[in-house]
């Protein structure tokens, strides 16, 4: 891992901390929000990404790259099945597996 502030290279896994919008940083963001003329939209590819963005004050989602929804778990297997299908019928079978994932994620991102 790399410390982006100091440039220090750290061997192994670094413990993560949840960001907190309190203290002086939180106050500055609150003041900026009170006088802003332009809203900030976030990139979010999953419901978790969207929740994090809204927690940091984003006013909406500006970019959602749907292909990123399928990188984990069984989802990637369904995408690979679609890509490697020998014919249209095989692609349709795989797409029926993919569609519920996508509907669930969009519901979580935009509602």
């Amino acid at each position: 891992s790399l410390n982006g502030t100091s440039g220090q290279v750290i061997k192994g896994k670094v413990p993560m901390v949840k960001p907190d919008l309190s203290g002086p940083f939180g106050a500055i963001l609150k003041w900026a929000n009170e006088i802003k003329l332009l809203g900030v939209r976030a990139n979010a590819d999953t419901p978790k990404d969207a929740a994090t963005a809204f927690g940091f004050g984003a006013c909406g989602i500006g970019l959602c790259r749907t292909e990123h929804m399928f990188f984990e778990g069984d989802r990637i297997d369904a995408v690979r099945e679609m890509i490697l299908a020998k014919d249209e019928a095989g692609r349709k079978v795989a797409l029926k597996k993919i569609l519920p994932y996508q509907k669930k994620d969009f519901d979580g991102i935009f509602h």
Side-chain angles (χ1 to χ4, degrees):
S1 295
L2 178 67
N3 180 323
T5 301
S6 69
Q8 176 188 15
V9 177
I10 304 163
K11 184 178 180 180
K13 188 174 182 176
V14 177
M16 303 292 284
V17 294
K18 190 169 185 168
D20 184 21
L21 296 180
S22 63
F25 180 62
I28 290 171
L29 286 179
K30 182 178 178 277
W31 297 336
N33 238 358
E34 291 170 1
I35 62 168
K36 71 179 180 181
L37 301 175
L38 180 67
V40 174
R41 297 184 185 277
N43 293 355
D45 306 322
T46 65
K48 182 180 175 188
D49 293 344
T52 299
F54 289 123
F56 277 105
C59 69
I61 305 302
L63 175 66
C64 179
R65 295 182 54 187
T66 59
E67 70 273 19
H68 291 183
M69 294 176 174
F70 303 106
F71 286 163
E72 295 183 19
D74 295 342
R75 294 173 173 218
I76 193 70
D77 294 335
V79 172
R80 289 175 180 151
E81 181 181 334
M82 180 195 64
I83 293 168
L84 297 173
K86 296 187 186 296
D87 55 25
E88 185 177 354
R91 283 190 295 279
K92 286 182 178 180
V93 168
L95 284 170
K96 285 183 181 179
K97 295 176 185 177
I98 292 169
L99 186 59
Y101 294 132
Q102 197 169 35
K103 282 184 175 182
K104 182 179 178 188
D105 283 355
F106 280 137
D107 188 51
I109 290 169
F110 295 108
H111 290 103

